[in-house]
Amino acid sequence: SSLLVVNSFIFFTLRCKSIAFVLPHSHMDVGWVYTVQESMRAYAANVYSSVTEELTREKRRKFVAVEQEFFRLWWDSVAADEHKKQVRQLLQEGRLEFIIGGQVMHDEAVTNLDDDILQLTEGHGFLYETFGVRPQFSWHVDPFGASATTPVLFALAGFNGHLISRIDYNLKDDMQRNQKLQFVWRGSRSLGDQQEIFTHTMDQFSYCTPSHLPFSNRSGFYWNGVALFPDPPKDGVYPNMSLPVDEDNLHSYAQTMVENIQQRAQWFQSNHVLWPWGCDKQFFNSSVQFQNMDPLLDYINLHSEQFGVTVHYSTLSEYFQAIHQSGHTWEVRGSQDFLPYSAEPLQAWTGFYASRNVLKGVARHASSLLHAAESLFTWYLVNIPGGAVPKEWALQKLRDLRWALSEVQHHDAITGTESPKVAHMYLQHLTQGMMGAQEVMVKLLIPAQPFDSFDATVTQSTGSESSDSAQHIVVYNPLAWNVTTYINVTVPFPMATVYDDEGHPVSAQIQQSAESDSAYDLFIVVNLKGLQHRRYVIRAMASSGRTHAATVVTFERRSRTQGEPRKRGRRLLPVLNECYALKVDQDTNLLHSIVDRKRSVKLTQDFGEYRANGDVRRGPVSDNYVFSANGSSEAAYEAVGMEIVPGKVLTEIRQYFYREESDEEYAYAVYTRLPEGFEGAAPCHRIEQSYRVGPLAVNREVVLRTSTDLSNNRTIFTDNNGYQMQRRLHRTFPNNTVARNYYPMVRTAYIEDDSTRLVVLAERAHGVSSQHEGQLEVMLHRRLWNNQEWNLGYNLTLNDSSVVRPVLWMLLGSRAAMASLGPREVLALQHRPVVLRVDSAGQCPVRCSLVSSKAVVLPPNLHLLSLSVPGWAYSSNHTQHLQDLQQGGPRKTEPEFGRILLRIMHLFEVGEDPVLSKPTTINLKEVLDGLGQLSSVEERSLTGIWDISDLHRWNWNSTEESNTGNVLHSQVQVVLEDFRVTVSPKEIRTFFVYFK
């Protein structure tokens, strides 16, 4: 018994002595207040130079590097040869560690799945090619809420640990009290434990070192002070430098640090304490940092028995390894996310879901364009390897857009939470990248037969004369499905005939443009196979049998308050297609209801606005981040005008909302297009809407309110990054209930009752909510100003005077029908056919046309997520790759054009559809035959840096049994010798494919 007591005492003593992992880091926002170049000049370049030098001087020092954009810029343009040699040595010793490894620390609320994967892949590709490094841990310390999709992506990338910080304040408080900040996260309902990952939630101190010193009026542990812009001070003296450590204050410093470590230890099950040392823009003078911390750590360890704490410099992998080896059993968290995020009761960070709508739209358009250009370039390389378009030039243009698109996924970029000059930087980079990608596509799509010869073909077929006013377009389908839809081309003439590349006239509709008296909208019906293009010529003509000239019918403007409400709904005008009847109330000029084949749903839409407070003396304010509503939205108009344009391709309803009845200019507009059925392959179930909103009055937040008679109990469903749906129950709070019931919609949101579902699909991110029974509210635009000192100092008041033109599609039908349609329709919106205008003249070298006789078509439940030429020097033999790097190689003279990156994603959840939710087997050789003759396939991790057969992620003890052990799914489901692959619900499978 005495032995038992002794052993218990030893165990208690060891358990009580906390082991602090001091993790040096610098949080370096890729943008936010300052541009990337301003940050490089003021501090970012100095971080990597000084850290490299200081770690080399002292063997025990360590550092973790996060965002790759700054590191790559330093490596390519600043680092001396000696620095590069030192970095390689530090990596080999494990004292410099890359965590996350993406270009940026991406936002989790409003980013798109494709772009999250892109930025991670670009960062990983650089790290693997340059150092042979394969990051295995995340550090998502600053995104404003945590998505359940992110841990799934990190697991697919081969990560062993995930770290988050910003979650709702009251939830974090509860998790701290109950030691539940760490758990095993199964982020996907369908994948379950297959892609689970251990997750550490930072405590209330988050990623910054606690700065309060009871013995000093200066901040503590920040000995290099605060970075200065635009240039570092010549004398090396920065603002707010902490009191240096000396003999007089050494014990006080140690006591302060130990007390914080012991406080944190109470919130975790293990005695291993992660102690982040750093904050925003730190370690630009690493010498003074380490010179002060080194003796502090020595002193604590020298008196560890007295303090009950030991401390040492650490990387993140060392901390996670200690937790993994501790043998604890962890609770399991399912597929629910941590959104929305509130920092305190009146600080709901839900405004950024809609901030800078223009930037959000441009970023998503750039993503769609890159997706199309990548697949087109891949086809070109496989089929015309010696073609006239220089492949190095084309790849560099695509890489420029990859860089810009990766950059804008940063958590202070696409969120709209940056300063105006930084938003301008993002837009400039995106625009330049998009211009380059369009240039690549045009050069790839130049026909073997010059367009003037095409003109002659059309003239022979029609007997008409060629016109100088003819326009030539190429239309490319970036989806691996056959599609029939329409495209819209603006032309300067009131009548036109459209011919395809065989000289046949094409069905079309032309009408006066809604926003210009001198322009006309030409809607052309196109039928495109998967990953194929067609050419069209548009000719101005007096009349045409295949082009319908639609006439605009104008209705009398109606006052919002005119007439008795009980008398409304008596004069309903039906607008019909093969799927729906939209009924418009002629007494209000608003939608009244939608009728499909089996149901009638009352549905009306209008614009509302929240009036934001701009004076901190009067209460909480809204800004880039925060939405502070003091009540429900109010009607943002007093009168509605309407036009209807009936047509044979589509019918358009134009509604104009006037702020005052007497206004001549409208404040908002909705253009609703109801497509007809096109030869039986119709998108007639889409109700396509585009909006014109702005410029807004200051301190207005404008919403589109769709009100129905569906009994949804104010529950709304929204997507996580376009990957999976989350059920959002309406909750009541003591404060800020309106704002805290807003959620991000990246691609999809819907409300439903027992039988009917109303789906809204988006081509950019918005904030959404169901504030009232049967209502779906979408925030479209915000313009804010306030006198909060912090916002004014950083120019973060969001005085956004732009005009925005977002697009939403609505679907209405049974829950089962919408479940099967929704995942494909949102991709049809995201990846609409790309229309390129090309010159009509000019000769084309031999074999410069992209003419494929075979399409690339996947089953309806599978999506071609990626088809690209990454260009990075990956390796099928990792050991050989490391040996080559250690010997000074590989000496890469040009990108690797023969390695094609292919990702295929299953669109459906388990049980979502009786047919489409089943695992689907395809033969890659047959599917890709439209590209070329497949020779070999390697299955890889999500970002390509792991051969899947070499990837063995850590297995964590959990309260729920695991069915798959510690090996990724691909070792269960492999690529068979005949190239057959089975893709299960919600899987994303990544391959390198090679063609003969």
Side-chain angles (χ1 to χ4, degrees):
S1 59
S2 60
L3 182 61
L4 180 62
V5 171
V6 170
N7 287 338
S8 299
F9 175 76
I10 293 173
F11 175 80
F12 179 77
T13 302
L14 290 174
R15 173 64 184 88
C16 288
K17 180 177 286 190
S18 297
I19 305 170
F21 294 71
V22 178
L23 190 130
H25 76 99
S26 181
H27 186 69
M28 303 163 68
D29 287 305
V30 182
W32 188 37
V33 177
Y34 302 100
T35 67
V36 169
Q37 288 305 319
E38 285 177 327
S39 295
M40 283 293 291
R41 179 177 172 180
Y43 82 95
N46 286 339
V47 170
Y48 291 115
S49 295
S50 68
V51 162
T52 300
E53 294 162 3
E54 290 306 312
L55 265 60
T56 302
R57 286 193 179 98
E58 174 57 60
K59 288 292 186 181
R60 62 171 169 169
R61 295 172 178 171
K62 298 176 182 179
F63 191 81
V64 293
V66 186
E67 298 88 356
Q68 283 307 298
E69 176 152 338
F70 282 130
F71 181 83
R72 287 175 66 180
L73 288 171
W74 174 78
W75 182 263
D76 291 339
S77 60
V78 178
D81 289 343
E82 183 63 22
H83 283 138
K84 293 184 177 182
K85 181 180 177 181
Q86 291 170 344
V87 166
R88 294 185 187 279
Q89 182 63 32
L90 292 170
L91 288 170
Q92 190 172 351
E93 294 172 1
R95 297 196 293 117
L96 175 64
E97 180 172 81
F98 291 108
I99 52 180
I100 305 180
Q103 277 290 91
V104 298
M105 186 188 299
H106 73 257
D107 171 66
E108 301 194 40
V110 298
T111 51
N112 188 29
L113 172 79
D114 309 44
D115 308 323
D116 291 343
I117 295 172
L118 170 72
Q119 71 84 22
L120 197 63
T121 301
E122 286 300 286
H124 284 193
F126 165 78
L127 287 175
Y128 189 78
E129 175 180 288
T130 311
F131 307 113
V133 165
R134 300 186 290 197
Q136 297 181 47
F137 303 95
S138 91
W139 180 258
H140 262 226
V141 297
D142 204 27
F144 321 131
S147 164
T149 297
T150 303
V152 176
L153 297 183
F154 286 156
L156 288 168
F159 283 23
N160 286 310
H162 180 37
L163 186 146
I164 62 176
S165 183
R166 291 188 185 267
I167 64 173
D168 203 81
Y169 72 96
N170 51 6
L171 178 58
K172 178 174 281 194
D173 289 346
D174 180 74
M175 293 170 71
Q176 280 189 177
R177 283 194 305 270
N178 295 288
Q179 294 188 334
K180 294 186 177 182
L181 290 168
Q182 296 171 318
F183 50 88
V184 172
W185 200 350
R186 296 178 180 173
S188 166
R189 177 168 61 86
S190 294
L191 298 178
D193 62 352
Q194 199 175 3
Q195 300 300 346
E196 69 183 20
I197 190 168
F198 178 80
T199 302
H200 172 101
T201 310
M202 283 191 155
D203 56 46
Q204 67 187 42
F205 295 106
S206 193
Y207 63 88
C208 289
T209 310
S211 60
H212 174 67
L213 295 179
F215 56 90
S216 172
N217 58 3
R218 301 194 211 173
S219 297
F221 306 100
Y222 296 102
W223 292 285
N224 60 190
V226 177
L228 275 181
F229 289 78
D231 295 295
K234 292 181 180 180
D235 60 3
V237 177
Y238 288 83
N240 203 31
M241 297 178 74
S242 297
L243 187 71
V245 174
D246 58 29
E247 291 184 1
D248 294 333
N249 62 32
L250 180 57
H251 182 80
S252 297
Y253 255 119
Q255 189 67 44
T256 301
M257 185 173 179
V258 166
E259 287 176 359
N260 183 257
I261 291 169
Q262 291 173 333
Q263 181 183 11
R264 289 172 136 161
Q266 299 174 33
W267 299 328
F268 295 92
Q269 296 181 40
S270 167
N271 62 335
H272 301 96
V273 179
L274 182 64
W275 204 79
W277 176 36
C279 198
D280 292 35
K281 306 177 186 66
Q282 285 295 300
F283 283 87
F284 48 83
N285 185 349
S286 299
S287 175
V288 69
Q289 289 282 85
F290 283 111
Q291 285 173 10
N292 282 276
M293 184 60 88
D294 286 351
L296 182 55
L297 298 191
D298 289 341
Y299 182 83
I300 294 173
N301 287 330
L302 185 63
H303 301 86
S304 63
E305 294 301 322
Q306 172 189 342
F307 286 127
V309 168
T310 61
V311 291
H312 65 277
Y313 293 126
S314 175
T315 60
L316 189 60
S317 64
E318 290 174 312
Y319 173 73
F320 274 119
Q321 285 170 356
I323 296 297
H324 184 245
Q325 294 167 5
S326 68
H328 283 77
T329 297
W330 307 99
E331 290 190 2
V332 172
R333 182 179 181 87
S335 59
Q336 64 269 37
D337 62 11
F338 290 96
L339 290 166
Y341 163 63
S342 290
E344 54 186 70
L346 297 176
Q347 292 278 312
W349 291 40
T350 57
F352 78 88
Y353 303 157
S355 294
R356 299 203 187 280
N357 185 275
V358 170
L359 177 61
K360 287 177 167 64
V362 172
R364 285 283 284 280
H365 181 52
S367 175
S368 301
L369 181 65
L370 179 63
H371 181 269
E374 296 273 26
S375 62
L376 191 63
F377 180 55
T378 301
W379 194 100
Y380 184 87
L381 286 180
V382 173
N383 286 270
I384 315 174
V389 179
K391 55 188 179 182
E392 294 84 1
W393 168 84
L395 179 59
Q396 186 56 52
K397 291 290 186 182
L398 297 180
R399 279 182 158 175
D400 290 345
L401 184 51
R402 291 177 193 170
W403 182 291
L405 190 57
S406 296
E407 175 184 77
V408 82
Q409 305 314 311
H410 176 66
H411 58 270
D412 271 310
I414 197 167
T415 51
T417 53
E418 65 281 339
S419 66
K421 68 178 177 182
V422 175
H424 176 74
M425 177 198 75
Y426 295 136
L427 287 169
Q428 185 179 44
H429 292 175
L430 287 168
T431 302
Q432 291 172 346
M434 291 165 68
M435 290 173 61
Q438 288 171 330
E439 186 180 0
V440 169
M441 293 188 74
V442 168
K443 288 187 179 297
L444 296 177
L445 288 170
I446 293 174
Q449 165 177 265
F451 267 111
D452 47 11
S453 300
F454 179 40
D455 288 350
T457 302
V458 172
T459 302
Q460 285 181 351
S461 300
T462 63
S464 61
E465 292 298 321
S466 178
S467 167
D468 291 337
S469 61
Q471 295 187 12
H472 301 266
I473 60 173
V474 178
V475 184
Y476 177 67
N477 173 22
L479 289 169
W481 302 318
N482 298 337
V483 300
T484 299
T485 186
Y486 70 86
I487 59 171
N488 182 13
V489 179
T490 301
V491 296
F493 31 79
M495 177 49 73
T497 298
V498 183
Y499 299 95
D500 63 19
D501 39 19
E502 296 178 353
H504 300 141
V506 176
S507 297
Q509 175 178 318
I510 195 166
Q511 62 193 45
Q512 181 75 51
S513 175
E515 296 188 6
S516 173
D517 293 334
S518 60
Y520 298 84
D521 291 329
L522 179 63
F523 302 102
I524 305 168
V525 178
V526 294
N527 195 323
L528 301 163
K529 295 182 179 180
L531 299 192
Q532 288 197 327
H533 76 281
R534 297 198 71 176
R535 295 177 288 138
Y536 299 89
V537 62
I538 303 166
R539 296 194 180 286
M541 292 187 174
S543 62
S544 167
R546 297 298 300 273
T547 300
H548 169 70
T551 302
V552 178
V553 180
T554 303
F555 293 76
E556 182 181 349
R557 188 188 298 192
R558 297 297 182 185
S559 168
R560 182 173 67 87
T561 57
Q562 177 180 314
E564 298 181 36
R566 63 186 178 87
K567 292 184 177 180
R568 294 175 183 175
R570 297 183 179 184
R571 296 195 305 137
L572 300 182
L573 178 65
V575 179
L576 310 172
N577 73 356
E578 293 184 7
C579 295
Y580 300 117
L582 271 63
K583 295 184 178 181
V584 182
D585 190 339
Q586 296 182 72
D587 292 323
T588 63
N589 286 341
L590 299 176
L591 288 177
H592 173 273
S593 56
I594 300 178
V595 181
D596 72 358
R597 295 184 181 93
K598 295 183 179 179
R599 76 206 79 239
S600 175
V601 175
K602 287 186 177 180
L603 185 150
T604 187
Q605 289 182 312
D606 69 354
F607 287 98
E609 64 183 15
Y610 292 93
R611 302 197 173 195
N613 170 40
D615 187 350
V616 294
R617 293 167 297 185
R618 296 172 51 203
V621 297
S622 289
D623 62 15
N624 293 37
Y625 304 88
V626 172
F627 173 39
S628 294
N630 56 11
S632 299
S633 59
E634 302 173 358
Y637 63 98
E638 291 298 330
V640 184
M642 183 173 67
E643 298 171 342
I644 295 181
V645 191
K648 294 184 178 179
V649 173
L650 58 85
T651 294
E652 184 173 66
I653 306 170
R654 302 170 178 174
Q655 296 163 292
Y656 305 100
F657 293 76
Y658 298 85
R659 187 171 291 281
E660 302 294 340
E661 289 189 39
S662 59
D663 287 352
E664 294 186 6
E665 299 293 330
Y666 57 86
Y668 316 105
V670 182
Y671 307 113
T672 303
R673 292 171 182 166
L674 200 61
E676 297 294 330
F678 305 142
E679 302 170 3
C684 69
H685 45 261
R686 305 172 188 162
I687 302 171
E688 304 179 7
Q689 292 191 318
S690 58
Y691 313 89
R692 185 190 186 280
V693 181
L696 304 182
V698 175
N699 284 332
R700 298 292 187 271
E701 297 165 286
V702 173
V703 296
L704 175 74
R705 305 183 297 191
T706 302
S707 302
T708 75
D709 60 356
L710 298 180
S711 299
N712 73 320
N713 198 29
R714 294 194 289 178
T715 296
I716 189 171
F717 295 77
T718 70
D719 67 315
N720 265 175
N721 312 104
Y723 177 72
Q724 59 189 339
M725 301 301 295
Q726 297 278 339
R727 185 170 181 247
R728 315 293 196 181
L729 300 175
H730 189 278
R731 298 180 297 166
T732 301
F733 300 93
N735 298 291
N736 224 16
T737 292
V738 170
R740 295 183 73 177
N741 278 286
Y742 253 83
Y743 298 92
M745 171 180 66
V746 177
R747 290 185 183 175
T748 308
Y750 64 81
I751 59 174
E752 64 182 14
D753 60 15
D754 292 340
S755 61
T756 303
R757 179 178 295 179
L758 173 68
V759 184
V760 174
L761 309 177
E763 41 73 81
R764 69 189 70 181
H766 301 281
V768 293
S769 185
S770 182
Q771 295 288 340
H772 303 284
E773 183 72 357
Q775 186 203 58
L776 196 156
E777 182 174 289
V778 182
M779 187 173 288
L780 299 178
H781 198 11
R782 313 174 77 218
R783 184 180 184 183
L784 304 165
W785 185 91
N786 65 71
N787 57 6
Q788 190 175 64
E789 184 177 350
W790 187 82
N791 282 324
L792 292 175
Y794 288 126
N795 197 8
L796 298 175
T797 58
L798 197 65
N799 190 7
D800 183 354
S801 60
S802 62
V803 175
V804 302
R805 292 179 170 84
V807 173
L808 298 175
W809 288 0
M810 285 195 301
L811 312 175
L812 180 71
S814 69
R815 292 169 60 171
M818 295 300 99
S820 64
L821 275 175
R824 285 173 57 89
E825 284 303 297
V826 74
L827 290 169
L829 173 58
Q830 176 77 26
H831 298 295
R832 287 166 285 184
V834 178
V835 180
L836 298 167
R837 295 180 185 267
V838 294
D839 295 333
S840 61
Q843 298 296 317
C844 181
V846 177
R847 296 194 73 221
C848 67
S849 170
L850 285 186
V851 180
S852 175
S853 59
K854 296 180 180 179
V856 176
V857 181
L858 287 172
N861 57 354
L862 300 185
H863 169 49
L864 186 66
L865 186 63
S866 305
L867 182 67
S868 65
V869 179
W872 298 111
Y874 295 100
S875 177
S876 300
N877 187 329
H878 179 63
T879 302
Q880 184 63 51
H881 182 61
L882 292 179
Q883 291 175 353
D884 290 343
L885 288 171
Q886 291 169 4
Q887 296 170 5
R891 299 300 181 189
K892 190 164 70 80
T893 57
E894 65 176 23
E896 299 191 17
F897 291 101
R899 180 181 285 115
I900 308 302
L901 176 65
L902 169 72
R903 293 190 186 97
I904 296 176
M905 173 183 171
H906 198 298
L907 295 176
F908 290 84
E909 299 277 5
V910 169
E912 190 173 10
D913 184 272
V915 176
L916 297 173
S917 289
K918 293 180 178 179
T920 300
T921 299
I922 58 173
N923 187 304
L924 290 178
K925 190 169 188 178
E926 294 175 358
V927 166
L928 299 178
D929 191 47
L931 285 177
Q933 189 174 357
L934 192 65
S935 61
S936 62
V937 175
E938 300 173 15
E939 183 153 13
R940 310 290 294 193
S941 61
L942 183 69
T943 61
I945 58 177
W946 288 90
D947 185 309
I948 210 72
S949 61
D950 296 332
L951 181 53
H952 302 268
R953 296 194 303 115
W954 295 353
N955 187 36
W956 295 83
N957 299 327
S958 67
T959 55
E960 297 181 19
E961 186 176 350
S962 173
N963 297 319
T964 56
N966 64 341
V967 182
L968 281 184
H969 67 96
S970 52
Q971 290 186 270
V972 178
Q973 299 182 354
V974 297
V975 182
L976 300 178
E977 291 184 3
D978 62 355
F979 299 106
R980 282 186 295 132
V981 171
T982 298
V983 188
S984 295
K986 300 312 290 187
E987 278 192 330
I988 301 173
R989 300 190 67 177
T990 303
F991 309 93
F992 287 154
V993 295
Y994 304 86
F995 293 87
K996 293 183 180 179

